[in-house]
Amino acid sequence: VYGFPQALYDIRYPAAGATAVAEHAAALLNAAGIATATTEHGLDHGAWVPMLLMFPEADVPVAQLSIQPRANAAHHFALGRALRPLRDEGVMVIGSGQITHNLRAADFGAAPEDADPRVAEFTDWFEAKLASRDVDALLDYRRQAPHAALMHPTDEHLLPVFTALGAADDDYRLGIQSLGTYQRVLAMTNYVFANAGA
């Protein structure tokens, strides 16, 4: 339907749904004044791809929270804040997106060493603000970060990081795993917001 290789459409990730977690998450969000409802549907690729890589046996139940592409970073941060209590119950909050995402600027024949230098300028800024826990600057990234509109013509691929950040401890320890830049402008990085005492 969207022009991806057929092999991607053939992948199945039969993880069980975490119904109780979904219902509790909805209750927490509603209590925070964020109107939420639960539905049953399959997992989006933004959920099953990282889960497949982390838990290839599909033996971890999953509840997916939809992003709100018309809402801003502050809204998604508030979602994470409301969901913080889930962590005390052993729920892993994962924000699955991409640190840079502009398919129009991508060059699918480019080698990793051909990365646009503006990618590093954006990711360096973002990671410095994460490291210093400068939440205000991060939530205002579209105005403050270098090349923000180029790296993210629309917000939806970055919004999940703000929910994960919102769910993190205020004094989190930041872990960064850079996976490189592909197709000139598509950077892949994992950020871990670990408990300060962990």
Side-chain angles (χ1 to χ4, degrees):
V1 175
Y2 295 102
F4 296 109
Q6 183 59 42
L8 293 177
Y9 297 103
D10 294 339
I11 294 173
R12 296 291 174 262
Y13 189 75
T19 305
V21 171
E23 290 173 352
H24 188 194
L28 289 169
L29 292 169
N30 282 312
I34 303 169
T36 307
T38 59
T39 61
E40 290 188 24
H41 57 79
L43 296 175
D44 178 84
H45 71 279
W48 69 255
V49 169
M51 292 301 292
L52 175 65
L53 295 172
M54 291 187 294
F55 305 102
E57 301 302 316
D59 53 358
V60 174
V62 180
Q64 179 177 334
L65 177 67
S66 297
I67 63 166
Q68 304 299 310
R70 292 182 181 86
N72 63 12
H75 171 82
H76 288 79
F77 182 80
L79 294 176
R81 278 290 187 255
L83 296 175
R84 263 184 171 178
L86 293 177
R87 293 173 45 237
D88 296 332
E89 300 168 18
V91 175
M92 182 186 304
V93 178
I94 301 171
S96 171
Q98 197 164 345
I99 187 60
T100 63
H101 192 276
N102 183 343
L103 293 181
R104 290 192 180 104
D107 175 356
F108 292 95
E113 59 270 19
D114 297 328
D116 186 320
R118 293 173 293 184
V119 171
E121 292 174 27
F122 176 84
T123 57
D124 287 351
W125 180 92
F126 205 89
E127 290 168 8
K129 299 306 179 186
L130 285 176
S132 65
R133 303 185 193 98
D134 189 345
V135 173
D136 290 338
L138 289 162
L139 297 183
D140 192 31
Y141 91 94
R142 288 201 76 79
R143 192 175 62 82
Q144 295 190 32
H147 319 297
L150 175 66
M151 297 299 112
H152 289 280
T154 57
D155 279 324
E156 66 270 15
H157 288 87
L158 191 62
L159 292 174
V161 74
F162 297 111
T163 299
L165 178 63
D169 289 342
D170 291 338
D171 55 351
Y172 62 81
R173 285 188 306 107
L174 178 66
I176 300 175
Q177 178 191 24
S178 176
L179 304 177
T181 300
Y182 302 88
Q183 287 82 49
R184 215 169 131 70
V185 292
L186 305 179
M188 309 280 189
T189 307
N190 293 327
Y191 302 106
V192 177
F193 307 114
N195 295 343

